[in-house]
């Protein structure tokens, strides 16, 4: 089974800061990685798929990168509406695995 | 507009059965997977399984195999998640999601239902 880890588990930053979340897979997953945003009390929302492709309607301040086992989600300028938990998910295996999540809030 | 609309919240007693639903609209229901995700209170997301309504492909996570049944009725564009005997530990929010598939691989979840809260308590 593929295990996914994320760091940090929580992150506090100021509005306008550049924020980076790291996701690591226990084995190589090529570029089969997606990122989701979940705001409190809401369903998750797809942000990025295929490591770096922005889903339609997602602001361009979100950027995904990486390959193999190490991936990143970067928010170039943190906004108040970005307060949420962010999950990575691999879909290299038969039924993909989510990372444990990173909670982002405003300092 | 793609929409996945889930059935309402359910309150059940341990040992009771339950079937929750997820109705798709705005797209071809038989050409995408539908997946089910569990989120226990204050916890992360867990894939339970997926179904391809246009064929016979059903996949379960090892953690949920034998614990739940996933099905779909394509004539009414609806997928289901059911339990035959609920436990208190099944208390959670359950989401359905649409997933594209390609060459036997289930891809990302691009649209999500609003969630169904299941509470199991005596």
């Amino acid at each position: 089974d593929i295990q996914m880890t994320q760091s940090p588990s929580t992150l506090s930053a100021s509005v306008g800061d550049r924020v980076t979340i790291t996701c690591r897979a226990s084995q190589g997953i090529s570029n089969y990685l997606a990122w989701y945003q979940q705001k409190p009390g809401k369903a998750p929302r797809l942000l990025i798929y295929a490591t770096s492709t922005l889903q339609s309607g997602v602001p361009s301040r979100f950027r995904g990168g990486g390959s193999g086992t190490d991936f990143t989600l970067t928010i170039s300028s943190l906004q108040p509406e970005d307060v949420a938990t962010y999950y990575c998910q691999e879909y290299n295996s038969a039924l993909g695995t989510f990372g444990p999540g990173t909670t982002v809030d405003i300092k | 507009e793609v929409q996945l609309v889930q059935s309402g919240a359910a309150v059940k007693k341990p040992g009771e059965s339950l079937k929750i639903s997820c109705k798709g609209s705005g797209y071809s229901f038989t050409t995408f997977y539908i997946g089910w995700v569990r989120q226990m209170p204050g916890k992360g997301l867990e894939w339970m399984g997926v179904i391809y309504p246009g064929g016979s492909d059903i996949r379960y996570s090892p953690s949920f195999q034998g614990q739940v049944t996933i099905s779909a009725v394509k004539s009414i564009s609806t997928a289901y998640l059911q339990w035959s005997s609920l436990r208190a530990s099944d208390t959670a929010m359950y989401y359905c999601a649409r997933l594209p598939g390609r060459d036997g691989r289930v891809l990302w979840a691009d649209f999500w239902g609003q969630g169904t809260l299941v509470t199991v308590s005596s």
Side-chain angles (χ1 to χ4, degrees), chain B residues 45-121:
Chain B
L45 306 173
E46 302 172 86
W47 279 115
M48 302 176 71
V50 297
I51 185 168
Y52 188 70
S56 58
D57 192 5
I58 305 176
R59 310 179 191 187
Y60 292 95
S61 165
S63 300
F64 295 95
Q65 179 83 48
Q67 308 305 309
V68 296
T69 302
I70 294 171
S71 60
V73 178
K74 57 186 179 183
S75 63
I76 55 172
S77 301
T78 302
Y80 300 95
L81 175 67
Q82 69 181 79
W83 296 259
S84 58
S85 181
L86 285 160
R87 308 170 186 176
S89 58
D90 293 318
T91 295
M93 182 70 81
Y94 294 88
Y95 293 101
C96 65
R98 187 187 85 160
L99 305 98
R102 185 185 304 145
D103 300 329
R105 185 183 304 279
V106 182
L107 305 179
W108 52 84
D110 60 358
F111 287 90
W112 293 70
Q114 83 276 20
T116 296
L117 180 63
V118 174
T119 303
V120 184
S121 174

Side-chain angles (χ1 to χ4, degrees), chain A residues 1 32 34 36 38 41-46 48-50 55 87 89-100, chain B residues 37 39 43-50 59-62 95 99 104-115:
Chain A
D1 291 3
Y32 297 128
Y36 302 88
Q38 187 179 30
K42 299 294 187 181
R45 170 198 182 195
L46 176 68
I48 288 170
Y49 59 92
Q55 172 71 340
Y87 296 93
Q89 183 230 326
E90 64 82 17
Y91 49 93
N92 185 67
S93 55
L95 191 62
T97 304
F98 288 103
Chain B
V37 172
Q39 187 167 40
K43 301 298 184 183
L45 306 173
E46 302 172 86
W47 279 115
M48 302 176 71
V50 297
R59 310 179 191 187
Y60 292 95
S61 165
Y95 293 101
L99 305 98
R105 185 183 304 279
V106 182
L107 305 179
W108 52 84
D110 60 358
F111 287 90
W112 293 70
Q114 83 276 20

Side-chain angles (χ1 to χ4, degrees), chain A residues 28-45:
Chain A
I29 58 170
S30 184
N31 72 331
Y32 297 128
L33 188 97
W35 289 95
Y36 302 88
Q37 175 193 64
Q38 187 179 30
K39 295 184 178 181
K42 299 294 187 181
R45 170 198 182 195

